[in-house]
Amino acid sequence: MPGDVASLEGVIARASQGVSTRRLAAWLDASPDLRTRRTVEHLADASIRIARTDLAQAARLAQAAAATARLLDDPHARGRGARAMGHVAALRGESAAALESYTEAIAAFALAGSPLEDAITRSGALQTLIYLARYEQALDWAARARATFAAAGDALRLARLDSNVGNVLHRQDRFAEALDHYTRALATFRATGGDHDAAIALRNIAVCQITLQQFDAAYATYQEARGWCEAHGLTRLLAEVDYNIAYLHYMRGEYATAIDLYARARGLASAQADPYHAALCDLDESELYLEINLVPEGAAMAARAARQFDALHMQYEASKARTTLALAAGHRGRLAEALGLFDEARACFVAEANAIWPAQIDLFKAALLEHGTPAEARALCLSARRQFATTPLTARTASCDVLLARLPLRADDTAAAAAAIGRALEVLPAVESPALAQRVHVVLGQVRERQGDASGALDAYREAHRAIEGLRRHLDHDELKVAFLEDKRVVFESLVALTAAQPGPLDVRAIFTLVEQAKSRALAEQMALLGAAASVSDGATGPAADVRAAAADLHAVSRQLRDESGQDRPEQHRLLALRARARELRARVSWLSAALETSDGSAALEGTIALDRLQASLAEDTTLLEYHEVRGVLHALVIDRASTRLVPLGTVGDLRRRMRLLRFQLGNAAVRSAQGWPATSPPSPALRDHLAWFHARLLAPLHASLARASRLVIVPHDVLHALPFHALGQDGQALIDTHVVSYAPSASVYVHAGASRARGDARAVVLGVPDALAPAIGREAQALAALLPDVQMAMGADATRAFLETHAPGARYVHVATHGRFRQDNPLFSSIRLADGDLRVLDLAALSLSADLVSLSGCGTGLSVTVGGDELLGLTRALLSAGARAVLVSLWDVHDDTAASMMVEVFRRMVAGEGAAEALRAAMLAARPQAPDPFYWAPFVLLGHPAAGRSAHRASTPISNAGRHPLQ
């Protein structure tokens, strides 16, 4: 026998590396003094010691213990070996296999007459019985073990049993009883120095404290548990603690921190071969994504969690995952699918004798049925509330009351609604849930409006607004900010409506701020940061320089983070490090800029700008029209340097239907063009009718204001982002005849895009990717290359991603002539085609641009969808976010030859000194006589804050109508 296994320590060392039963038997034959129960016990004990830090090594030791026991005629040894195998299987999440091993161990100890070992096994098996939903059996085994430990006077094992029984009670939602057991156990563990046991007890106490809404106490307990794990090298347990800390941040609305901690905990769990806690991270994160309206992502994560829990035979957790899948189906309008999943999950919880989750599912179903079958919804909600009222789950009871207030509001029973929301409001201070606070105050505002208490309603909506802002501050990912506002528009609309209805002069500043806070806000914040970062080299000193330098660092890290996130297989550890650095820099920027304010009193890096700042940025001849919806009525804010008006434009009504018909007619024009109809053909009567209808609804009521301006900046709303306002008109006239027109996603974006920053040099970059469908792209690119100064051009196979990424930064003009692809289902995957593949939205956003103008002359490059907070998602957003001052894109598939000619005309005029907006207007007017259908001359829109040219028109009166072109 080799010398290194001639001792017990040698056997353990070699067994930890893996050994066959045959080799082990040979070793023991060579050293008969090791062929004993003592060897089995030492191998089993070594397995338990290492299990929380190296499960693979623990498994090898347990296998060696069991194999050695089988070589002995000793039932006690067989029991120890089987129990070790049970512990390893339990830690692997293999609950059925673990129970089989534990049962084998109990039988062996009974044969050996070892009641203490029997009790130790039963106590250790309780968690496995929990996972298998055998709660009565678990409590029976616990009672048997307690009698044995008490008779033996074994305080430490009684404490471990208390901890395990606490787990059973917690699983049954008996939280107060569970907390008592954990606290009693912890006192003993601290007295006896049980490092691992104390860490588990601390973690479990914190879990109960969260459930009982004792959040501050839970956070302190978790931090103590985490420090304990780090100090004692409990790596596997550290993953569990991180998972629970992530859940606490999620509960408190600190979403971005929670997402990062879930990622860290998931990585630790995977590294330790712990599929259970990895799946728990997926489960909780799926619920988080649903809460911030990232429904597809939440559904995918819940489905992954359900599959993993099914594989682990853990029906309780699998049912929770199916509940989340049901919620996702409900979000998507799949009522039958959602109800089926709810019923499946509820049946499982009932079978487990769980009293809380069936009630929770009843509440979920009630919310889903609120609009269709309110009577059934009310019955379900009342049933759920009765159950929650018997527990310390105050937040869930309050959630029931919110729904019980909404339901009678629909039936005009204001008194019942007031009583229900009053109950929720009463307990709100003890709950510490910003998300719940927002929902409570929204309904409170609605109730007070019904009661005729406008002032009280306004106060309630302001409280809801504060809760939204508090939650939103914890979202440091752009896509999270965008999604979060998806279902919050009612708050902003209610605030605008009630502010406008207040007695006395109209508070246009407050209304403007509210409208802007609900419109392309995430993009505005990104651009504010970009502007501050780009100003670092301006020579500022003191606090301003500190803010700008920190902003520059934050902008650089944000770009790294976005670039890493866009990879097919991002490095998780790098993502976590970048996010942590971004949070650190964001905190520094906030701290430095707290005392540094702009002249108008707004925070230096605030995304939403103040009305005074907007007005100061407007030229004398410029008016900004900002459209927005308030409770089904479309309004326009009409803003120039000296005044602001709020103009109601009537109900939204037919807008969406008319937009579909208008797009259909433009599509018909494209079909006629493809069939060989001449471009000189007039527009169809139907198209003229739609353009006149929109003009009458959106522009005619503003005639007096429009007559005083020669330039318009239009901020559309919702589907109107796809409307060619410049083509609207009647009686043979279009808006472009009388005004220079540009667009912006929001007024704040307009200001940030035009803010002073380091612009590009005189270089121009031109890329062209022609093909059989668009041969004019080649001619267009060649013509532009001949016009523009200091041009760098790539055509065909040379027009690659690397060329664009290398040459676009620093250029003043960037022109890309290629096909665009808009993804309605997933706008972030919209793209432009280059020679070596598609360049997606995320890729474009990662460019570092300082261009006065980026133009995309392909088909549909300006198409976007609007999501939460009227936020645009598409190629335009990406380019503005990347630093472009203005973006020239198309609203529909362009006519190849006409588009090429217009692009050449635009740049010819810009090189001659005209501004981009003036040049685009002139190109449109030049194209109309030969191609009077707007399909040909009106596809392009200019977004952002286009720079004025040397010959920009600055008259205070409208541009002459002379030579206008008919629409007939």
Side-chain angles (χ1 to χ4, degrees):
M1 182 175 184
D4 62 344
V5 293
S7 65
L8 186 56
E9 292 74 17
V11 171
I12 292 172
R14 291 295 297 272
S16 67
Q17 301 170 24
V19 61
S20 68
T21 302
R22 184 175 179 181
R23 175 67 61 87
L24 183 63
W27 291 346
L28 298 178
D29 285 342
S31 295
D33 56 323
L34 295 178
R35 198 182 181 98
T36 64
R37 175 192 298 182
R38 181 167 170 267
T39 299
V40 175
E41 291 174 339
H42 277 69
L43 285 166
D45 290 342
S47 173
I48 293 171
R49 282 195 304 272
I50 200 68
R52 291 282 174 176
T53 55
D54 189 336
L55 187 56
Q57 189 177 140
R60 292 191 288 269
L61 288 165
Q63 290 164 359
T68 302
R70 286 193 295 271
L71 297 173
L72 307 177
D73 184 19
D74 184 345
H76 182 100
R78 288 199 303 275
R80 288 298 307 273
R83 188 168 70 204
M85 292 293 291
H87 287 335
V88 168
L91 288 172
R92 282 175 169 167
E94 299 167 355
S95 299
L99 183 58
E100 184 178 342
S101 293
Y102 288 139
T103 303
E104 179 185 344
I106 290 171
F109 290 135
L111 188 61
S114 305
L116 184 59
E117 296 296 339
D118 175 286
I120 293 170
T121 306
R122 292 180 190 275
S123 178
L126 295 186
Q127 193 65 41
T128 294
L129 291 171
I130 291 172
Y131 291 153
L132 294 172
R134 299 187 181 186
Y135 305 120
E136 293 304 320
Q137 184 178 357
L139 293 174
D140 175 65
W141 281 20
R144 295 189 188 192
R146 185 177 300 280
T148 301
F149 294 150
D154 195 331
L156 179 58
R157 288 198 170 98
L158 279 170
R160 287 173 178 164
L161 180 63
D162 273 336
S163 186
N164 292 339
V165 171
N167 294 344
V168 179
L169 296 170
H170 184 276
R171 186 59 162 265
Q172 293 181 306
D173 294 332
R174 296 158 64 178
F175 304 117
E177 295 173 74
L179 184 58
D180 288 342
H181 280 72
Y182 294 142
T183 304
R184 190 166 64 219
L186 179 62
T188 300
F189 295 145
R190 280 176 166 156
T192 58
D195 299 338
H196 178 264
D197 293 321
I200 290 177
L202 285 166
R203 178 203 63 188
N204 291 342
I205 287 170
V207 170
C208 284
Q209 288 168 332
I210 286 180
T211 310
L212 296 170
Q213 284 97 46
Q214 300 170 9
F215 295 120
D216 289 337
Y219 191 77
T221 304
Y222 273 137
Q223 292 304 321
E224 183 180 355
R226 197 173 201 286
W228 195 288
C229 291
E230 287 182 324
H232 296 91
L234 301 172
T235 308
R236 187 180 180 89
L237 192 55
L238 187 61
E240 300 177 23
V241 172
D242 275 348
Y243 155 74
N244 285 288
I245 294 175
Y247 182 71
L248 176 57
H249 283 287
Y250 164 38
M251 292 288 291
R252 300 180 79 158
E254 297 162 354
Y255 298 123
T257 302
I259 289 171
D260 287 348
L261 286 173
Y262 280 132
R264 183 171 71 183
R266 187 185 293 109
L268 284 170
S270 298
Q272 293 296 319
D274 182 1
Y276 170 64
H277 281 95
L280 278 182
C281 291
D282 286 344
L283 176 59
D284 283 2
E285 200 167 349
S286 70
E287 296 173 5
L288 185 158
Y289 280 135
L290 257 61
E291 189 163 309
I292 58 175
N293 301 306
L294 290 173
V295 178
E297 293 84 348
M301 202 160 278
R304 187 170 70 187
R307 288 193 298 270
Q308 185 61 64
F309 288 131
D310 282 337
L312 295 172
H313 306 290
M314 301 174 71
Q315 290 309 302
Y316 174 88
E317 285 81 1
S319 296
K320 289 180 68 176
R322 287 189 180 88
T323 301
T324 304
L325 283 171
L327 291 169
H331 273 286
R332 292 165 160 174
R334 302 171 184 171
L335 180 61
E337 177 185 345
L339 293 175
L341 286 165
F342 277 139
D343 289 342
E344 180 183 348
R346 193 183 193 283
C348 178
F349 290 128
V350 169
E352 291 198 359
N354 185 295
I356 298 300
W357 268 100
Q360 183 67 63
I361 289 175
D362 286 345
L363 175 57
F364 288 150
K365 288 178 67 175
L368 194 61
L369 298 171
E370 175 183 359
H371 302 286
T373 53
E376 183 180 357
R378 184 174 185 276
L380 286 166
C381 193
L382 284 171
S383 174
R385 192 189 189 283
R386 282 193 293 271
Q387 180 60 52
F388 291 142
T390 65
T391 74
L393 304 178
T394 311
R396 299 189 193 187
T397 307
S399 293
C400 291
D401 285 328
V402 170
L403 183 53
L404 288 170
R406 288 205 306 259
L407 287 165
L409 268 182
R410 297 183 181 281
D412 293 324
D413 188 349
T414 307
I421 204 62
R423 292 193 301 267
L425 188 66
E426 185 178 344
V427 301
L428 200 56
V431 172
E432 194 182 345
S433 172
L436 178 61
Q438 180 248 321
R439 295 196 299 273
V440 169
H441 284 103
V442 166
V443 178
L444 179 63
Q446 293 168 342
V447 169
R448 287 177 173 171
E449 280 195 83
R450 294 286 184 88
Q451 293 172 329
D453 181 6
S455 176
L458 190 58
D459 288 342
Y461 288 127
R462 284 171 177 160
E463 287 296 325
H465 179 257
R466 275 191 280 273
I468 289 171
E469 294 302 299
L471 287 165
R472 196 176 178 279
R473 277 195 296 273
H474 293 294
L475 299 174
D476 58 0
H477 305 3
D478 191 49
E479 65 272 21
L480 301 187
K481 291 181 179 180
V482 170
F484 175 70
L485 288 180
E486 182 69 41
D487 57 351
K488 312 299 188 298
R489 195 162 68 183
V490 62
V491 175
F492 294 96
E493 290 189 12
S494 298
L495 283 169
V496 170
L498 291 176
T499 301
Q502 289 289 292
L506 186 67
D507 190 350
V508 290
R509 284 177 173 78
I511 290 173
F512 171 79
T513 298
L514 288 165
V515 170
E516 280 292 294
Q517 285 181 339
K519 189 180 284 287
S520 283
R521 188 168 170 195
L523 175 59
E525 290 170 345
Q526 174 65 20
M527 295 177 70
L529 175 62
L530 180 66
S535 302
V536 175
S537 60
D538 287 352
T541 58
D546 292 339
V547 169
R548 289 169 177 169
D553 290 343
L554 176 56
H555 180 63
V557 171
S558 297
R559 286 197 177 280
Q560 290 176 313
L561 180 57
R562 185 162 45 193
D563 190 51
E564 184 66 32
S565 300
Q567 300 297 318
D568 289 337
R569 294 185 178 181
E571 294 288 338
Q572 194 63 48
H573 68 89
R574 178 164 168 76
L575 280 176
L576 292 176
L578 287 170
R579 287 171 180 166
R581 178 61 175 156
R583 278 197 300 275
E584 175 187 329
L585 287 169
R586 190 171 286 102
R588 176 169 171 76
V589 168
S590 298
W591 177 72
L592 288 171
S593 61
L596 180 66
E597 296 189 346
T598 58
S599 58
D600 60 18
S602 61
L605 294 177
E606 180 65 39
T608 301
I609 54 98
L611 178 59
D612 292 346
R613 184 178 173 191
L614 169 65
Q615 290 180 300
S617 74
L618 296 174
E620 290 289 346
D621 61 346
T622 302
T623 293
L624 183 141
L625 307 178
E626 181 156 18
Y627 294 89
H628 59 280
E629 180 182 345
V630 179
R631 295 180 169 178
V633 176
L634 190 68
H635 292 71
L637 277 167
V638 184
I639 306 170
D640 57 31
R641 285 184 69 89
S643 65
T644 301
R645 296 172 55 217
L646 179 67
V647 181
L649 300 174
T651 59
V652 172
D654 244 8
L655 278 179
R656 287 178 178 80
R657 186 183 71 86
R658 281 281 187 167
M659 273 300 301
R660 288 195 297 271
L661 293 174
L662 174 62
R663 301 289 300 185
F664 177 76
Q665 290 301 324
L666 290 168
N668 276 346
V671 171
R672 290 195 297 271
S673 172
Q675 291 173 343
W677 286 44
T680 54
S681 301
S684 69
L687 179 56
R688 291 201 306 269
D689 174 68
H690 294 314
L691 294 171
W693 186 89
F694 278 109
H695 179 273
R697 288 292 308 276
L698 305 178
L699 295 176
L702 313 177
H703 175 74
S705 297
L706 300 185
R708 294 193 297 270
S710 58
R711 302 171 184 278
L712 295 178
V713 179
I714 296 176
V715 178
H717 172 74
D718 198 42
V719 296
L720 299 181
H721 284 284
L723 180 68
F725 280 82
H726 53 278
L728 303 186
Q730 55 190 4
D731 301 327
Q733 187 177 16
L735 183 63
I736 200 66
D737 287 315
T738 56
H739 294 80
V740 174
V741 180
S742 66
Y743 299 79
S746 73
S748 296
V749 168
Y750 172 79
V751 171
H752 290 310
S756 175
R757 63 178 74 184
R759 305 311 308 166
D761 54 35
R763 287 187 303 109
V765 174
V766 176
L767 288 85
V769 187
D771 61 15
L773 296 175
I777 283 178
R779 297 193 298 274
E780 172 188 330
Q782 295 286 355
L784 291 180
L787 276 174
L788 293 168
D790 192 14
V791 69
Q792 294 168 301
M793 186 178 74
M795 284 287 293
D798 296 327
T800 63
R801 173 176 179 158
F803 181 90
L804 183 65
E805 291 176 340
T806 300
H807 297 290
R812 178 166 294 174
Y813 305 116
V814 178
H815 179 77
V816 183
T818 183
H819 291 292
R821 183 188 180 208
F822 177 65
R823 287 278 302 274
Q824 180 79 30
D825 62 320
N826 194 337
L828 292 177
F829 283 84
S830 298
S831 60
I832 58 172
R833 197 184 77 188
L834 296 181
D836 56 347
D838 291 343
L839 200 67
R840 300 173 303 164
V841 163
L842 292 175
D843 303 320
L844 288 169
L847 295 173
S848 184
L849 300 175
S850 53
D852 277 340
L853 179 66
V854 176
S855 51
L856 304 178
S857 66
C859 298
T861 51
L863 291 176
S864 301
V865 296
T866 56
V867 293
D870 202 34
E871 194 90 36
L872 286 182
L873 291 183
L875 300 172
T876 299
R877 173 194 175 85
L879 292 168
L880 290 172
S881 177
R885 178 172 183 144
V887 179
L888 182 59
V889 290
S890 61
L891 291 178
W892 55 82
D893 291 353
V894 298
H895 181 256
D896 196 27
D897 289 330
T898 307
S901 298
M902 290 182 67
M903 283 294 107
V904 173
E905 180 69 5
V906 167
F907 279 97
R908 184 185 70 78
R909 288 177 171 273
M910 289 177 64
V911 169
E914 288 191 27
E918 292 80 11
L920 178 60
R921 174 180 181 269
M924 290 182 185
L925 294 180
R928 280 177 68 193
Q930 291 78 35
D933 193 311
F935 163 73
Y936 294 97
W937 64 264
F940 292 108
V941 290
L942 189 64
L943 293 102
H945 193 134
R950 293 191 302 274
S951 60
H953 180 80
R954 296 188 178 278
S956 59
T957 56
I959 295 173
S960 171
N961 294 343
R964 71 189 185 192
H965 304 288
L967 286 173
Q968 74 274 11

